[in-house]
């Protein structure tokens, strides 16, 4: 089947579907994650794992229309380096270095041919899971409404270009880079575009990418809900929080619950 034929069938079957209304997150301070009417996080899902030693705090956002071959790839790469791409990135600075709430926090883009998935993640004590979620949202929000200084941004670009150069120093590294381009249908000449592509990303481009793509994500916290339940509700008043017990978890269900599978 050709893409054109598949698109025609999709339009015929689903073209009349209305656009669903998003449920806005409600809150105050860091926890709101709201700029205007759009929340950074529209829903928090808690996987309740009693007696777990730690809690995992994760932010997820699928990004449609931005692919590895997109000219926004470089803005996304610099954004990720700034936010969670290394020890001196913002997430690790705020969560580990300043507050000692985790051994490390980071973020990444998982690239696909037709879309990409963005995630930020860390692990912490159960008691500090709500605080870490709040800090993570605050850093995501900061990307959307403030400009990074050149003093902060330039080292993050150098992290990318330095790593790129080192990866190409061996035949294996060069082959891996070419294989990656081939898997996305990108010409090998793109290797020559990487260095100027990264160094040409401005603070405004990072902010613009964040403002267009990082809203309406979801937070997933896995941990002992009984320990952080009250603090989570306090920090995120009015936010939609869905709790799934680990004993009821089924990752093949759209709701993650065994009981919702016929």
């Amino acid at each position: 089947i050709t893409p054109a034929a598949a698109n025609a069938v999709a339009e015929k079957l689903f073209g009349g579907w209305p656009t669903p209304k998003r449920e806005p997150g409600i809150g105050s301070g860091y926890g709101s994650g709201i700029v205007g009417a759009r929340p950074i996080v529209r829903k928090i899902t808690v996987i309740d794992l009693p007696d777990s030693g730690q809690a995992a705090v994760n932010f997820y956002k699928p990004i449609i229309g931005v692919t590895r071959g997109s000219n926004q790839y470089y803005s996304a790469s610099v954004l990720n380096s700034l936010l969670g791409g290394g020890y001196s990135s913002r997430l690790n600075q705020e969560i580990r270095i300043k507050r000692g709430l985790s051994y490390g926090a980071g973020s990444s883009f998982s690239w696909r041919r037709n879309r990409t998935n963005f995630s930020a993640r860390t692990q912490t004590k159960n008691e500090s899971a709500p605080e870490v979620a709040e800090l993570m949202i605050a850093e995501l929000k900061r990307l959307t409404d403030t400009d990074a200084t050149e003093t902060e941004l330039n080292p993050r670009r150098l992290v990318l270009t330095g790593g790129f150069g080192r990866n190409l120093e061996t035949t294996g590294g060069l082959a891996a880079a070419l294989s990656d381009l081939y898997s996305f249908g990108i010409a090998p000449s793109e290797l020559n575009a990487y260095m100027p592509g990264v160094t040409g990303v401005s603070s405004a481009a990072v902010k613009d990418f964040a403002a267009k793509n990082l809203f309406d994500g979801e937070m997933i916290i896995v941990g002992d809900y009984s320990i952080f339940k009250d603090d989570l509700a306090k920090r995120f008043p009015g936010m939609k929080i869905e709790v799934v017990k680990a004993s009821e978890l089924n990752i093949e269900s759209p709701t993650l619950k065994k009981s919702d599978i016929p």
Side-chain angles (χ1 to χ4, degrees):
I1 185 170
T2 64
N7 187 65
V9 173
E11 284 291 338
K12 179 180 178 181
L13 297 176
F14 309 126
W17 285 15
T19 302
K21 287 185 64 178
R22 292 286 191 185
E23 294 187 32
I26 303 172
S28 61
Y30 285 136
S32 68
I34 293 177
V35 177
R38 300 179 65 196
I40 293 291
V41 170
R42 61 183 179 85
K43 176 185 175 184
I44 296 176
T45 298
V46 176
I47 307 300
D48 184 15
L49 192 63
D51 302 319
S52 59
Q54 290 185 329
V57 180
N58 310 272
F59 172 85
Y60 294 104
K61 176 62 170 61
I63 299 175
I64 309 300
V66 178
T67 68
R68 175 61 182 85
S70 167
N71 58 8
Q72 296 182 71
Y73 169 76
Y74 296 109
S75 295
S77 298
V78 175
L79 178 150
N80 186 68
S81 182
L82 178 66
L83 177 68
Y87 187 81
S88 58
S89 63
R90 287 181 175 181
L91 285 177
N92 203 60
Q93 287 274 355
E94 291 297 321
I95 295 172
R96 174 181 175 163
I97 298 172
K98 291 184 180 180
R99 295 173 175 81
L101 295 174
S102 175
Y103 281 115
S107 62
S108 61
F109 284 92
S110 178
W111 297 98
R112 301 289 186 269
R113 272 185 174 265
N114 299 315
R115 59 181 282 174
T116 185
N117 295 319
F118 174 75
S119 65
R121 60 208 167 270
T122 191
Q123 290 197 185
T124 187
K125 301 185 299 292
N126 280 292
E127 292 83 354
S128 54
E131 179 183 0
V132 167
E134 199 174 53
L135 290 168
M136 189 176 287
I137 291 172
E139 289 306 316
L140 290 162
K141 181 178 182 294
R142 183 153 73 108
L143 286 171
T144 69
D145 58 14
T146 63
D147 291 304
T149 65
E150 189 61 24
T151 302
E152 182 185 23
L153 199 59
N154 193 50
R156 306 316 305 167
R157 296 193 202 98
L158 292 174
V159 168
L160 294 174
T161 55
F164 178 77
R166 287 193 302 274
N167 289 340
L168 298 187
E169 287 179 350
T170 65
T171 54
L174 177 59
L178 290 171
S179 175
D180 184 61
L181 293 176
Y182 177 80
S183 67
F184 289 106
I186 299 172
S189 58
E190 182 67 16
L191 287 180
N192 294 326
Y194 187 88
M195 302 290 273
V198 168
T199 57
V201 174
S202 66
S203 177
V206 170
K207 179 181 174 182
D208 181 67
F209 183 92
K212 289 178 178 177
N213 296 292
L214 297 188
F215 290 102
D216 296 316
E218 294 196 27
M219 184 75 72
I220 298 178
I221 303 175
V222 183
D224 191 332
Y225 184 52
S226 65
I227 296 176
F228 58 81
K229 176 181 179 180
D230 292 341
D231 192 30
L232 189 68
K234 179 181 178 181
R235 291 177 186 268
F236 296 90
M239 174 70 75
K240 181 179 181 180
I241 299 175
E242 184 170 352
V243 181
V244 180
K245 293 184 179 297
S247 59
E248 274 293 306
L249 180 64
N250 184 342
I251 61 172
E252 294 183 358
S253 166
T255 64
L256 298 179
K257 298 178 181 178
K258 292 179 183 177
S259 58
D260 291 334
I261 294 292

